[in-house]
Amino acid sequence: MAVPGDPPGGTPEDIGGGDDELRPEEYRSVVFDEDFVRAARLQEFSAQERMGEHARAVRSRSIWSGGSSGHGRGHGQGSPGRGARQGMLLVLLIATAFAVAVYLGLRNPYVPPEGGNAEPLTSTVIPLAPASVVPGGRPVDLYESSPAAEYRVGAAGITLPAVRRTHHFTESQVVAALSIAKDYLVQSSLDPDVLAGNASRPVRVLLDPGQLAQFDESMASPSGDGRHAATGWLVRFDPGTAVIADSRVRVSGTLAFEERSPEVLEVTSDHTFVYAVRPVTGPPSLADGASLFTVRRELRMRFGRDDLMARRTELASAYVMAGPQDCATEPAEGFRPLPAGSGPTTVGPPASDPYASGHPRRTAGLCGVLAQPPVSPTAAAPAPTVAAPRPGTSDPAPPGEGSSVSPAAP
């Protein structure tokens, strides 16, 4: 007989013991343990908390909180704390990496400084007046009859000396300094655009940043004040006076190096450059109008370790003799060669030879007399003209030894 509340068909025989019954070990995997609940980012408010006005059903749990609200202390209590510590450790690692990157960026030795402590260039430019008629003819004939007959052509005439390490600079650093010095001589003495006065950038890019302002002022407003002569930095001809008649410039000279301090290596160059030029307004035929113009340049270049890595130099001093020129002209802006056939422009002391080896003696005057090669048979010989020489001024450079350059007679 059925009892009220029993199923219509009676109580199933397998109730409570059928195959669908979930045993504890079977549903344990779908029940969240206490550690999982405490680590949840969302937590349900209690019934009392949900009774408040505008109360939300759940709240967010911050990973920075060190634990939960007092329930279940003991088992699983350390999990949120471990998450907070891991987050803080990650932030510290990121901050440390950023600080290291900034430090290395500031200390990177391969980034050249924007400015420098380079001293200004001091330069002396001395025009050499002809002692006799300026020879003229074809460049090849003029070279053969001059002391430049045995000189090499172009950059081949600028040779490097035997290299050895110094006390504080390695052999490779010495080689780097000498090669930069050679590059400077090539760009400032042989580049056709620089010689014609059409460019100065090939020279500028090789200078220490601390000298760029002085260089730019010298190019824009040349002056014979010993600091801003364009011809102290480079060889440049007045474009209204003369042009290059033969690109095969003859060159001879020496390079030497010396350690000036543990941080400074100095290279001294002493070279003679012989150019074949012709007047801008003269006849186009090279056989009729070419002449030789000689420039003796003695430069002192300094190199710090940053300069060696950046391939640049600090030009410390320049001593230049150039002729034949009229001593009444100002050579600071550009050289003005006297054309073939021009006679002596001044009567002065014994001739000075720019072809002689050794260091020229610094003088108190700003004009000398060129030791002229023998007159070519094709040279014209008009009546000589005499111009008043420039008064002498003091020379800041120290005295040296070797061939002499004398001031023009007052």
Side-chain angles (χ1 to χ4, degrees):
M1 179 176 180
V3 179
D6 289 342
T11 302
E13 295 180 359
D14 58 345
I15 185 170
D19 295 338
D20 294 336
E21 182 180 1
L22 294 177
R23 299 179 178 84
E25 62 273 11
E26 296 178 352
Y27 61 77
R28 184 175 299 134
S29 61
V30 299
V31 176
F32 301 136
D33 61 8
E34 188 175 357
D35 285 345
F36 184 88
V37 173
R38 290 183 181 278
R41 296 296 303 276
L42 295 178
Q43 184 179 30
E44 185 179 5
F45 285 101
S46 66
Q48 184 176 359
E49 291 173 328
R50 291 197 300 270
M51 289 175 64
E53 186 177 1
H54 304 299
R56 295 180 299 169
V58 295
R59 61 168 172 255
S60 297
R61 302 185 64 186
S62 172
I63 62 173
W64 305 106
S65 60
S68 59
S69 57
H71 297 287
R73 296 185 183 273
H75 179 70
Q77 182 179 0
S79 296
R82 286 197 300 270
R85 287 193 295 272
Q86 290 175 355
M88 293 183 67
L89 180 60
L90 179 61
V91 171
L92 289 175
L93 289 175
I94 294 175
T96 302
F98 180 77
V100 171
V102 172
Y103 175 79
L104 293 179
L106 293 176
R107 299 285 297 176
N108 189 353
Y110 298 99
V111 178
E114 295 297 330
N117 297 322
E119 297 181 0
L121 165 70
T122 58
S123 61
T124 302
V125 182
I126 300 178
L128 300 179
S132 60
V133 175
V134 178
R138 297 188 307 166
V140 61
D141 296 332
L142 294 173
Y143 281 132
E144 288 179 356
S145 61
S146 76
E150 303 299 323
Y151 288 7
R152 295 183 179 181
V153 176
I158 306 174
T159 58
L160 303 186
V163 176
R164 55 173 176 77
R165 65 164 296 142
T166 65
H167 188 63
H168 295 97
F169 289 87
T170 65
E171 183 175 323
S172 61
Q173 289 175 321
V174 174
V175 171
L178 291 170
S179 64
I180 298 170
K182 178 175 180 176
D183 288 346
Y184 187 89
L185 289 170
V186 170
Q187 297 301 328
S188 64
S189 307
L190 300 175
D191 185 282
D193 291 331
V194 172
L195 296 177
N198 297 327
S200 60
R201 178 171 173 76
V203 180
R204 189 181 191 274
V205 297
L206 293 173
L207 289 173
D208 187 284
Q211 291 187 315
L212 295 183
Q214 182 188 9
F215 177 83
D216 293 340
E217 186 175 351
S218 301
M219 297 300 109
S221 302
S223 172
D225 60 358
R227 294 290 180 92
H228 298 96
T231 47
W233 299 93
L234 47 81
V235 176
R236 184 166 75 178
F237 293 98
D238 179 9
T241 302
V243 294
I244 298 295
D246 188 351
S247 61
R248 294 168 295 179
V249 181
R250 304 302 172 93
V251 184
S252 179
T254 60
L255 284 170
F257 62 92
E258 179 183 4
E259 182 179 306
R260 303 294 295 181
S261 74
E263 298 298 327
V264 176
L265 188 67
E266 184 175 277
V267 174
T268 302
S269 68
D270 185 7
H271 289 80
T272 299
F273 301 86
V274 185
Y275 306 87
V277 298
R278 63 178 179 84
V280 174
T281 58
S285 172
L286 297 182
D288 296 332
S291 62
L292 296 184
F293 188 83
T294 305
V295 179
R296 172 81 174 271
R297 304 183 75 197
E298 181 183 336
L299 308 179
R300 286 193 302 116
M301 292 169 270
R302 293 173 181 165
F303 300 87
R305 301 184 191 279
D306 291 341
D307 295 325
L308 295 176
M309 290 185 291
R311 293 198 61 79
R312 66 194 184 201
T313 183
E314 174 189 338
L315 186 59
S317 68
Y319 189 80
V320 182
M321 298 185 297
Q325 293 185 93
D326 188 340
C327 284
T329 63
E330 174 57 65
E333 182 174 359
F335 297 127
R336 297 178 174 89
L338 289 173
S342 298
T345 60
T346 184
V347 178
S352 304
D353 189 358
Y355 294 93
S357 60
H359 299 289
R361 181 173 61 86
R362 273 65 172 176
T363 68
L366 289 180
C367 185
V369 179
L370 175 66
Q372 196 69 39
V375 177
S376 171
T378 60
T385 59
V386 179
R390 180 185 303 109
T393 59
S394 61
D395 186 346
E401 298 179 355
S403 60
S404 63
V405 177
S406 301

